[in-house]
Amino acid sequence: MTVKIGFPDGKSKDYKKGTTPAQIAEEIGIRNIIAAKLDGEIKDLTTPITRDSRLMLLKFEDKEGKEVFWHTSAHVLAQAVTRLYPKAKLTIGPNWENGFFYDIDTDPFHPDDLSKIEKEMEKIVREDHKIERLELDKKEALKTFKDNQYKTELIKEWEDRELTAYKQGEFIDLCKGPHLSRTGLVKAFKLVKVSGAYWKGDQKNKQLQRIYGVSFPEAKQLKEYLTMMEEAEKRDHRMLGKKLELFMFHDWSPGSPIILPKGTIIYNTLLEFIRSEYSKRGYKEVITPQLFNKALWELSGHWQYYTENMFLLKVDDQEFSLKPMNCPSHVLIFKSRTRSYRELPLRIADFCCLHRNELKGVLGGMTRVRKFSQDDAHIFCTEEQIEEEIKSLLDFFKYIYVGVFKLPFRVYISTKPEKAMGTEDQWEKAENSLKKALDASKIPFKLKEGEGAFYGPKIDIDVKDSIGREWQLSTIQLDFQMPNRMGAEYEGADGKKHVPVMIHRALIGTFERFLGVITEHYAGKFPIWLSPEQVRILSVADRFSGYAEKIAKEFSKKGIRATTDTRTESISYKVREAQMEYVNYIIVVGEKEVNDGTVTVRTRDNKILGQFRSDEFLQQLLREVESKTQAS
Amino acid sequence: MTVKIGFPDGKSKDYKKGTTPAQIAEEIGIRNIIAAKLDGEIKDLTTPITRDSRLMLLKFEDKEGKEVFWHTSAHVLAQAVTRLYPKAKLTIGPNWENGFFYDIDTDPFHPDDLSKIEKEMEKIVREDHKIERLELDKKEALKTFKDNQYKTELIKEWEDRELTAYKQGEFIDLCKGPHLSRTGLVKAFKLVKVSGAYWKGDQKNKQLQRIYGVSFPEAKQLKEYLTMMEEAEKRDHRMLGKKLELFMFHDWSPGSPIILPKGTIIYNTLLEFIRSEYSKRGYKEVITPQLFNKALWELSGHWQYYTENMFLLKVDDQEFSLKPMNCPSHVLIFKSRTRSYRELPLRIADFCCLHRNELKGVLGGMTRVRKFSQDDAHIFCTEEQIEEEIKSLLDFFKYIYVGVFKLPFRVYISTKPEKAMGTEDQWEKAENSLKKALDASKIPFKLKEGEGAFYGPKIDIDVKDSIGREWQLSTIQLDFQMPNRMGAEYEGADGKKHVPVMIHRALIGTFERFLGVITEHYAGKFPIWLSPEQVRILSVADRFSGYAEKIAKEFSKKGIRATTDTRTESISYKVREAQMEYVNYIIVVGEKEVNDGTVTVRTRDNKILGQFRSDEFLQQLLREVESKTQAS
């Protein structure tokens, strides 16, 4: 008896029924496999394959591979705690965004306890226990976990008859899995913090101890991660935002940043940068309302699927909402008069603010907000125009991220999910347009099979910052659904009515989030074109203040953001202060400069650039700002 | 027995007790007096003065003078209707913004009936009846109006024991007054329209007939008004907004304009104009939240006095509101850290959108909206800095309205009202600062005695458009109250804490409203710096399309908003279309232009400017845009 195994590259091969993914991996000689995806479900490597299946072998580099790795790490942590604190009761131990945690009912841990637990974990890893999956019926399970009221509660709530547990050495835990095959694989880990938590997140329940950890297959990866975290902490945008007075938050408007004058300069400069590209690239900007009647959201489908993220209110005794997205209002504009194929592609851009009701608990800094604006645009086009439009979007993307920000990136196409609107033929054409456009633009990409939205396939782009963290900023989504649903149509060359395709796209993404990300990327040292204060002119003594003011005025007139510091403080004090505030160029003027009509310039990193004629230095500044580079 | 009468110029004089304002006006030889203001209350000219009083004689030019004039006009209308339609029942007849109306329970009027009624009104005016005030007790009043259920209802609801009615000839109407002394004074009037209305505005009640009229003391004024209205209708911004695709409205967001691409260009150009002035004039722009907790509005006082204008909603199970004003959030920014006197004046500017819950019935076009943005700023300064700040605000104002828009204006100072916060001394100093600043800026002004806000005096500026209508656009308000109430303070040179003064100011005012006003002012023919389409290049035949595109590209590169029309249509057709869309310059290119590298230019008013070298014409365009003028 054989089973046919299909691989991601489209090839397939017959194997003996009961063969495990581990055996297949060994046969093809792939190492460092963590788990397997069988027909879309993640399984232990030791799962016997009993029917024809699609197989994908997961490594730590895959998102789902990481999840399995971290889940096993949580079990190693739990085993260590159980050995050291026999009275501790385990509750649940899932992944979190950067690793794993376990909630434990026990006396509060001291941070010092963590190293004791780490030592025990190292022992468990050295012992290299085999990890076994056990299938239990409810009765057996209740017997096995009878001393733990939390696990008992979970077992009773369990809907199926069968449950699973995982065993490693003397330790057994109730768990759906899957897991690594041996504890010895958790080569590198660190417990990073301990905090309070509540059983089922409910403050009425007893407080538990939550231990957070991170783990990796290699010690080198752990070291890199810890270095990155240390670096990330130093450039945390919340800390820098306060120090550099870029933005602030207030309890009376949670999730809505107050962007201070210096932050607003960066924000507006970014926005103007995008706006100036829009005028070159044929976009038309509009300004749209904040409040819309429920009727709009019912027509667009948001009322049915998205209300929990919307801020609702009564207007004229009817249900209204603050808009969470611009797309439906752009369809109203499209529909406001008869449209001809000659007007397509019609690219409608909108910087108006949006509101989404994120849970208060998940709000954080500029990267998780409730109120924000995006470089949002919707392109209405024909099916034939998709490829060309995507190509010009990729060109736009490259201009921003390669040309200006010089950041590496990774591109993914998410394809048709199981539940999807539109015909097979439409999807195939659309996915092919995306692929062809990426190929033509010489941009490599990976597929995320089945991860498209129900209304169309999309391109997601992850951008890597200066300390290696990846941020999903840009998105390009095809939509066959909304224009049809909302009754948008145009008159074709054939004189008949057709439904346009809609492309939802944002390249910067959310400006607030982008501002947070680049604050960390540059560690607050913004390049000159974005910098809130580009030049500060310091006078060596009172009698040179007039000259300093004159230079500042000349620079300001040409659009350079220049200030003066003419206080009676020592010049070294004034230089240090300007450097602490990351002013790009610091000019010192005294006797010599006044006599020669020059300026002496140094950078925020204390590099002395020397003496320049002031008009020549101004020209250099203008060139740097214009070209969005900085010489220093 | 004498009474002391105080006049607006500060002088006073003794008169015999019982003297009437009419006698005083005659004595000092002032003509065309309509009514009198006695200690702030408006009275008939025939009212005997029985105690020491402040007296102001009102003319038609005064707002309250107009109101009395129009009110008497409504009585003349009512008398005419009663003569012609004896079964008609009168209800109420107040002023509206441009005249008067009367709501009457009768069979529907035909528009032709209006001229019949006008004829009867002319007769009543010629009859020149004396208008007498009658004081009635409730019983007498009920008897007098027993045949009219509406007046009966009003009398029963009346809270005082005494009521008044006014009698002219055979006609008597229940009315608080005051009124003109004779019907003969209503020299010029016109009934402008008739529409349906409901008793007490309630649709459940019977429908009434509402007749609208306008009236003036002189025939010439009526003629001018009617000409202006005719002109206003031709340039109605709602009509032009649709025709030129500047903005649109949708029932699903009442009062929130959707600003279309061309309108957005004008909007953003205006905003950028103000923003560029801000950077020259030391303003710091911020971006603030839309939603704020009730706690903020309680602290600012808006919760107590302004909630009916606010859109309320629940956030995290607490009361929140969409902000109707920026000021409280700017105080939060001021308070976000210790402030020193060295930072003052601190000028915080904000273009974020605001929401005010205007009644749906009063919304109209761009001039009465619920969602809008302003060129709003708040200046925190010391009392000593007020005068200097006001001077620079007046300079800013003059730059906008004299320098750029070239519009005449009138300035008013509104002084301390009866109920006011702050000491006499503070008010006097503040009012003097305003006066001194206006004097120093050589700007004449009038006083609006007692019309300041409770928190401080203010300067209001009315701007006159090209057809003579006045718009209150700019406001400059001093506020001694909010910084104190919200706990804003700075450290003075003396090392002690002081409360800053706050200046609320907007010069453009609401951008939406301004856009509506200038659309009408320019009748849609925007000056080149604001124009959505500055140049259109038309090709005489297909083979010149390339040259047209080349010119358009060169112009666009320099920031000129240039398009092409290379369709295979006759050149006269294409010229006419561009002129209908008010494109500033229309360029035609053919054989000759291609050979010579030139362009042939005409204006939207069909003035032929001739042939230019294309780079020379581009330079001229850039100069016009830069200087905000247009040669043509």
Side-chain angles (χ1 to χ4, degrees), chain B residues 405-417:
Chain B
F405 287 100
K406 300 180 176 44
L407 297 175
F409 58 91
R410 277 206 277 216
V411 176
Y412 302 91
I413 294 182
S414 295
T415 62
K416 185 164 181 282

PDB file of all heavy atoms in Angstrom, chain B residues 405-417:
ATOM      1  N   PHE B 405      -5.607  88.183  -1.113  1.00  0.00           N
ATOM      2  CA  PHE B 405      -6.974  88.103  -1.650  1.00  0.00           C
ATOM      3  C   PHE B 405      -7.550  89.467  -2.051  1.00  0.00           C
ATOM      4  O   PHE B 405      -8.547  89.537  -2.758  1.00  0.00           O
ATOM      5  CB  PHE B 405      -7.893  87.384  -0.657  1.00  0.00           C
ATOM      6  CG  PHE B 405      -7.631  85.906  -0.608  1.00  0.00           C
ATOM      7  CD1 PHE B 405      -6.866  85.351   0.410  1.00  0.00           C
ATOM      8  CD2 PHE B 405      -8.105  85.080  -1.607  1.00  0.00           C
ATOM      9  CE1 PHE B 405      -6.600  83.996   0.429  1.00  0.00           C
ATOM     10  CE2 PHE B 405      -7.854  83.728  -1.592  1.00  0.00           C
ATOM     11  CZ  PHE B 405      -7.085  83.179  -0.575  1.00  0.00           C
ATOM     12  N   LYS B 406      -6.917  90.552  -1.566  1.00  0.00           N
ATOM     13  CA  LYS B 406      -7.347  91.905  -1.941  1.00  0.00           C
ATOM     14  C   LYS B 406      -8.835  92.144  -1.687  1.00  0.00           C
ATOM     15  O   LYS B 406      -9.574  92.601  -2.567  1.00  0.00           O
ATOM     16  CB  LYS B 406      -6.979  92.178  -3.408  1.00  0.00           C
ATOM     17  CG  LYS B 406      -5.459  92.079  -3.635  1.00  0.00           C
ATOM     18  CD  LYS B 406      -5.050  92.344  -5.051  1.00  0.00           C
ATOM     19  CE  LYS B 406      -3.526  92.342  -5.212  1.00  0.00           C
ATOM     20  NZ  LYS B 406      -2.787  91.251  -4.534  1.00  0.00           N
ATOM     21  N   LEU B 407      -9.270  91.835  -0.481  1.00  0.00           N
ATOM     22  CA  LEU B 407     -10.675  91.998  -0.114  1.00  0.00           C
ATOM     23  C   LEU B 407     -10.827  93.092   0.939  1.00  0.00           C
ATOM     24  O   LEU B 407     -10.041  93.148   1.887  1.00  0.00           O
ATOM     25  CB  LEU B 407     -11.219  90.687   0.471  1.00  0.00           C
ATOM     26  CG  LEU B 407     -11.247  89.486  -0.466  1.00  0.00           C
ATOM     27  CD1 LEU B 407     -11.687  88.235   0.279  1.00  0.00           C
ATOM     28  CD2 LEU B 407     -12.182  89.751  -1.630  1.00  0.00           C
ATOM     29  N   PRO B 408     -11.844  93.962   0.796  1.00  0.00           N
ATOM     30  CA  PRO B 408     -12.097  94.949   1.848  1.00  0.00           C
ATOM     31  C   PRO B 408     -12.620  94.259   3.113  1.00  0.00           C
ATOM     32  O   PRO B 408     -13.181  93.164   3.036  1.00  0.00           O
ATOM     33  CB  PRO B 408     -13.173  95.851   1.239  1.00  0.00           C
ATOM     34  CG  PRO B 408     -13.645  95.201   0.000  1.00  0.00           C
ATOM     35  CD  PRO B 408     -12.788  94.013  -0.300  1.00  0.00           C
ATOM     36  N   PHE B 409     -12.439  94.893   4.257  1.00  0.00           N
ATOM     37  CA  PHE B 409     -12.875  94.254   5.503  1.00  0.00           C
ATOM     38  C   PHE B 409     -13.262  95.315   6.535  1.00  0.00           C
ATOM     39  O   PHE B 409     -12.939  96.495   6.379  1.00  0.00           O
ATOM     40  CB  PHE B 409     -11.760  93.363   6.066  1.00  0.00           C
ATOM     41  CG  PHE B 409     -10.482  94.094   6.344  1.00  0.00           C
ATOM     42  CD1 PHE B 409     -10.250  94.660   7.605  1.00  0.00           C
ATOM     43  CD2 PHE B 409      -9.509  94.238   5.356  1.00  0.00           C
ATOM     44  CE1 PHE B 409      -9.071  95.342   7.855  1.00  0.00           C
ATOM     45  CE2 PHE B 409      -8.332  94.929   5.615  1.00  0.00           C
ATOM     46  CZ  PHE B 409      -8.110  95.486   6.862  1.00  0.00           C
ATOM     47  N   ARG B 410     -13.988  94.888   7.562  1.00  0.00           N
ATOM     48  CA  ARG B 410     -14.374  95.744   8.667  1.00  0.00           C
ATOM     49  C   ARG B 410     -14.039  95.059   9.971  1.00  0.00           C
ATOM     50  O   ARG B 410     -14.273  93.855  10.121  1.00  0.00           O
ATOM     51  CB  ARG B 410     -15.881  95.987   8.626  1.00  0.00           C
ATOM     52  CG  ARG B 410     -16.234  97.102   7.666  1.00  0.00           C
ATOM     53  CD  ARG B 410     -17.520  97.718   8.092  1.00  0.00           C
ATOM     54  NE  ARG B 410     -18.623  96.924   7.567  1.00  0.00           N
ATOM     55  CZ  ARG B 410     -19.770  97.480   7.152  1.00  0.00           C
ATOM     56  NH1 ARG B 410     -19.944  98.787   7.249  1.00  0.00           N
ATOM     57  NH2 ARG B 410     -20.731  96.720   6.688  1.00  0.00           N
ATOM     58  N   VAL B 411     -13.503  95.827  10.902  1.00  0.00           N
ATOM     59  CA  VAL B 411     -13.008  95.247  12.150  1.00  0.00           C
ATOM     60  C   VAL B 411     -13.844  95.722  13.336  1.00  0.00           C
ATOM     61  O   VAL B 411     -14.222  96.894  13.408  1.00  0.00           O
ATOM     62  CB  VAL B 411     -11.528  95.646  12.356  1.00  0.00           C
ATOM     63  CG1 VAL B 411     -11.008  95.144  13.694  1.00  0.00           C
ATOM     64  CG2 VAL B 411     -10.677  95.095  11.216  1.00  0.00           C
ATOM     65  N   TYR B 412     -14.152  94.812  14.242  1.00  0.00           N
ATOM     66  CA  TYR B 412     -14.909  95.122  15.458  1.00  0.00           C
ATOM     67  C   TYR B 412     -14.157  94.613  16.684  1.00  0.00           C
ATOM     68  O   TYR B 412     -13.573  93.531  16.653  1.00  0.00           O
ATOM     69  CB  TYR B 412     -16.274  94.433  15.431  1.00  0.00           C
ATOM     70  CG  TYR B 412     -17.109  94.819  14.238  1.00  0.00           C
ATOM     71  CD1 TYR B 412     -17.044  94.081  13.060  1.00  0.00           C
ATOM     72  CD2 TYR B 412     -17.936  95.937  14.280  1.00  0.00           C
ATOM     73  CE1 TYR B 412     -17.784  94.444  11.952  1.00  0.00           C
ATOM     74  CE2 TYR B 412     -18.691  96.308  13.172  1.00  0.00           C
ATOM     75  CZ  TYR B 412     -18.610  95.561  12.003  1.00  0.00           C
ATOM     76  OH  TYR B 412     -19.342  95.928  10.912  1.00  0.00           O
ATOM     77  N   ILE B 413     -14.185  95.423  17.746  1.00  0.00           N
ATOM     78  CA  ILE B 413     -13.730  94.901  19.043  1.00  0.00           C
ATOM     79  C   ILE B 413     -14.974  94.670  19.890  1.00  0.00           C
ATOM     80  O   ILE B 413     -15.792  95.583  20.072  1.00  0.00           O
ATOM     81  CB  ILE B 413     -12.814  95.897  19.779  1.00  0.00           C
ATOM     82  CG1 ILE B 413     -11.498  96.093  19.012  1.00  0.00           C
ATOM     83  CG2 ILE B 413     -12.513  95.403  21.194  1.00  0.00           C
ATOM     84  CD1 ILE B 413     -10.525  97.024  19.722  1.00  0.00           C
ATOM     85  N   SER B 414     -15.118  93.450  20.414  1.00  0.00           N
ATOM     86  CA  SER B 414     -16.228  93.172  21.320  1.00  0.00           C
ATOM     87  C   SER B 414     -15.707  93.262  22.746  1.00  0.00           C
ATOM     88  O   SER B 414     -14.728  92.603  23.101  1.00  0.00           O
ATOM     89  CB  SER B 414     -16.794  91.779  21.061  1.00  0.00           C
ATOM     90  OG  SER B 414     -17.356  91.732  19.772  1.00  0.00           O
ATOM     91  N   THR B 415     -16.367  94.108  23.551  1.00  0.00           N
ATOM     92  CA  THR B 415     -15.846  94.412  24.889  1.00  0.00           C
ATOM     93  C   THR B 415     -16.554  93.616  25.973  1.00  0.00           C
ATOM     94  O   THR B 415     -17.432  92.791  25.701  1.00  0.00           O
ATOM     95  CB  THR B 415     -15.973  95.908  25.176  1.00  0.00           C
ATOM     96  OG1 THR B 415     -17.377  96.239  25.138  1.00  0.00           O
ATOM     97  CG2 THR B 415     -15.240  96.745  24.130  1.00  0.00           C
ATOM     98  N   LYS B 416     -16.176  93.904  27.203  1.00  0.00           N
ATOM     99  CA  LYS B 416     -16.615  93.154  28.397  1.00  0.00           C
ATOM    100  C   LYS B 416     -18.145  93.048  28.492  1.00  0.00           C
ATOM    101  O   LYS B 416     -18.841  94.055  28.525  1.00  0.00           O
ATOM    102  CB  LYS B 416     -16.073  93.856  29.643  1.00  0.00           C
ATOM    103  CG  LYS B 416     -16.348  93.141  30.957  1.00  0.00           C
ATOM    104  CD  LYS B 416     -15.460  93.692  32.056  1.00  0.00           C
ATOM    105  CE  LYS B 416     -15.684  93.006  33.383  1.00  0.00           C
ATOM    106  NZ  LYS B 416     -16.886  93.470  34.081  1.00  0.00           N
ATOM    107  N   PRO B 417     -18.668  91.842  28.530  1.00  0.00           N
ATOM    108  CA  PRO B 417     -20.114  91.671  28.694  1.00  0.00           C
ATOM    109  C   PRO B 417     -20.497  91.783  30.179  1.00  0.00           C
ATOM    110  O   PRO B 417     -19.612  91.849  31.036  1.00  0.00           O
ATOM    111  CB  PRO B 417     -20.344  90.254  28.192  1.00  0.00           C
ATOM    112  CG  PRO B 417     -19.075  89.537  28.491  1.00  0.00           C
ATOM    113  CD  PRO B 417     -17.968  90.563  28.455  1.00  0.00           C
TER     114      PRO B 417
END
